[in-house]
Amino acid sequence: MSYPTLPKSVRIVEVGPRDGLQNEKGVISTEIKLQLIDKLADAGVRYIESASFVSPKWVPQMGDAKAVMTGLQRRPGITYAALTPNLKGLESAIEAGVEEVAVFGAASEAFSRKNINCSIAESLERFAPVMELAKANNIKVRGYVSCVLGCPYDGEIPPEKVAEVAKALYDMGCYEISLGDTIGVGTPLKAKAMIRAVANVVPIEKLAAHFHDTYGQALANLYAVLEEGVAVIDSSVGGLGGCPYAKGASGNVATEDVVYMLQGLGIETGIDLNQLVATGNFITDAIGSTNRSRVGLAMSS
Amino acid sequence: MSYPTLPKSVRIVEVGPRDGLQNEKGVISTEIKLQLIDKLADAGVRYIESASFVSPKWVPQMGDAKAVMTGLQRRPGITYAALTPNLKGLESAIEAGVEEVAVFGAASEAFSRKNINCSIAESLERFAPVMELAKANNIKVRGYVSCVLGCPYDGEIPPEKVAEVAKALYDMGCYEISLGDTIGVGTPLKAKAMIRAVANVVPIEKLAAHFHDTYGQALANLYAVLEEGVAVIDSSVGGLGGCPYAKGASGNVATEDVVYMLQGLGIETGIDLNQLVATGNFITDAIGSTNRSRVGLAMSS
């Protein structure tokens, strides 16, 4: 019996400074964010989602997106991306010199309506001018699909629905599709089935796994989709963010825990785990949050 | 491409009342232990390791082993087991009417010497009279092997060494061998390799996975060994126990998190998850500990 074939290397997309911090309580200073981004780069992270150009009325923690994107010390070989959910956001991002952005849709109608107040089809329509302007400015666009393994309102989501939304974003010009288990309810075989359904319509090398650890399943699900060939993983240092749908519960899987597993699997990430753990301790200390990385806790004791 | 073949059902060996509570601070009353054991049975758990017959000088939390084993309300179809590391422990267990016991050896020489103050070979020799007395009294014996995926003193442990110790215990008459990642350092492919090495010398249906979650890897490792055919899992409700080697870190994987994953995988356990979550909340509240089950936290919020 042979061992499963896993990717030789995995690209980590660090979402802590955006997806993570946006779900932490209170406003975090631009200076702390810039330090976090710099420490992540020091640790070897090569893709850092650094800000979100949304209305500060909705997401006050991201109100300094321009200051962050213009203040950071760009280094060659590192992508500093920003979320731009609409045309206005993209225009601001362009002014701030952002070279890569992300848009997001949901695989669940109910979540789409409650979260962005429109149907899935409408949300995709709204991205058309965003994609066009990005293309005109040579800006790469990454696409997120949320609720790929379950929805807080609709429950189970058929893999075919996820595939449909992923394909729509891919066809519109997103170079990579990040598949989000937004509420962390998935389990390994469901994660495999979802990935297979999407890989039928979008090449697997264009897919990323963005799994939350709310029910402690994220690493098991990630291992399962590594077996399927997924080689891009979104994660959040220190498990920053928590879960807006379940108080006290975990949100994004912690980057430290992912990198530890990948190292054990012999998969290259280019990241120094000790520096990453130090970065997780730095940011959770700085904002007075709990370090939700189990590796961070074990290696710091 | 087909999906991995997983077991149709898994037997959960609940170790919270013993392995869990023994690593919690302070002495826990017999009454609370009996309530915990009863609630676990109510939730559908069919195997409960309930006490340890060791010197109360070493493990004061287990000083009431006899009171627990004679005080519990036995129900048909449920096994109430106890740890008996030596002949004296077994004699006390027999007096208390215990019908199944467990012994333990280490796969690491250094751990064996530091933990039980003798070599692996010597520890196995000491079990010979224990096995004999157990057999004479029709008592089933389960064997634990610790440090199967790494040792706090020796580092990596060769899978062949684990296989050797597991086979020795099996040959001595242990009907099942529980393979313990005592410090939770394993990752999925290492877990698979270890299981394969052991399954070469002990039938896989006689093996149990006893994984700790110190580095957050337990569920990923469990999923990986389910793919190998392992169908017995040791776990601890509420993640009771913590880790004596890393302050603030997790110890035994939480039963709730395991059962959630198994349910998602379509694997039968006979356990009611809601009742199990309530039991995890009951015991962690009762002893003033942190609930370390992510499912427990998510489902209670």
Side-chain angles (χ1 to χ4, degrees), chain B residues 15-243:
Chain B
V15 298
R18 200 279 302 172
D19 199 6
L21 292 185
Q22 105 174 22
N23 289 308
E24 295 286 344
K25 279 176 202 151
V27 176
I28 296 124
S29 76
T30 308
E31 180 50 33
I32 292 289
K33 289 181 186 178
L34 292 174
Q35 282 186 40
L36 169 61
I37 292 166
D38 230 38
K39 285 176 193 291
L40 287 166
D42 283 343
V45 178
R46 289 288 163 266
Y47 191 111
I48 306 170
E49 202 182 64
S50 305
S52 178
F53 286 87
V54 287
S55 164
K57 270 189 222 157
W58 297 352
V59 189
Q61 294 90 335
M62 295 289 122
D64 59 350
K66 190 175 174 182
V68 170
M69 295 310 296
T70 53
L72 54 81
Q73 295 243 316
R74 283 171 199 282
R75 304 188 199 184
I78 302 191
T79 302
Y80 301 91
L83 198 68
T84 56
N86 52 39
L87 202 54
K88 197 178 161 210
L90 179 58
E91 286 163 354
S92 305
I94 291 171
E95 278 171 39
V98 174
E99 80 265 30
E100 174 158 341
V101 299
V103 297
F104 58 86
S108 147
E109 283 294 349
F111 191 85
S112 184
R113 289 195 181 277
K114 296 223 183 194
N115 199 42
I116 50 178
N117 205 26
C118 63
S119 71
I120 297 174
E122 285 164 347
S123 76
L124 295 174
E125 270 172 44
R126 288 187 199 172
F127 292 143
V130 177
M131 301 301 299
E132 216 168 298
L133 182 62
K135 203 177 170 186
N137 284 274
N138 274 323
I139 291 175
K140 287 171 80 181
V141 183
R142 195 171 192 249
Y144 281 107
V145 185
S146 60
C147 297
V148 301
L149 292 170
C151 164
Y153 316 112
D154 275 348
E156 298 232 357
I157 300 295
E160 296 69 32
K161 186 69 197 170
V162 182
E164 189 188 312
V165 178
K167 185 175 188 319
L169 287 171
Y170 187 66
D171 288 347
M172 288 172 78
C174 292
Y175 78 96
E176 183 169 278
I177 310 296
S178 171
L179 300 159
D181 181 9
T182 311
I183 53 172
V185 292
T187 43
L189 292 185
K190 290 179 187 175
K192 277 178 179 277
M194 183 274 296
I195 290 293
R196 289 186 190 186
V198 180
N200 275 336
V201 294
V202 179
I204 191 145
E205 62 272 20
K206 304 294 184 188
L207 302 181
H210 179 111
F211 292 168
H212 284 216
D213 205 27
T214 321
Y215 291 75
Q217 311 292 310
L219 283 190
N221 296 344
L222 287 174
Y223 173 72
V225 303
L226 287 168
E227 286 189 344
E228 301 295 315
V230 171
V232 184
I233 294 176
D234 296 5
S235 58
S236 175
V237 69
L240 281 179
C243 177

Side-chain angles (χ1 to χ4, degrees), chain A residues 1 185 196 213 227 260 294, chain B residues 1 185 213 227 260 294:
Chain A
M1 196 163 49
V185 291
R196 290 185 190 186
D213 204 28
E227 286 189 344
Y260 181 95
R294 301 216 170 185
Chain B
M1 198 162 48
V185 292
D213 205 27
E227 286 189 344
Y260 181 95
R294 302 215 169 186

Side-chain angles (χ1 to χ4, degrees), chain B residues 235-288:
Chain B
S235 58
S236 175
V237 69
L240 281 179
C243 177
Y245 305 97
K247 260 191 196 169
S250 302
N252 283 292
V253 65
T255 309
E256 299 92 315
D257 300 5
V258 174
V259 170
Y260 181 95
M261 181 173 81
L262 294 173
Q263 280 190 355
L265 294 170
I267 296 172
E268 193 61 49
T269 64
I271 293 174
D272 181 298
L273 186 55
N274 288 311
Q275 279 184 267
L276 190 66
V277 166
T279 304
N281 286 331
F282 158 76
I283 187 63
T284 50
D285 282 354
I287 66 172

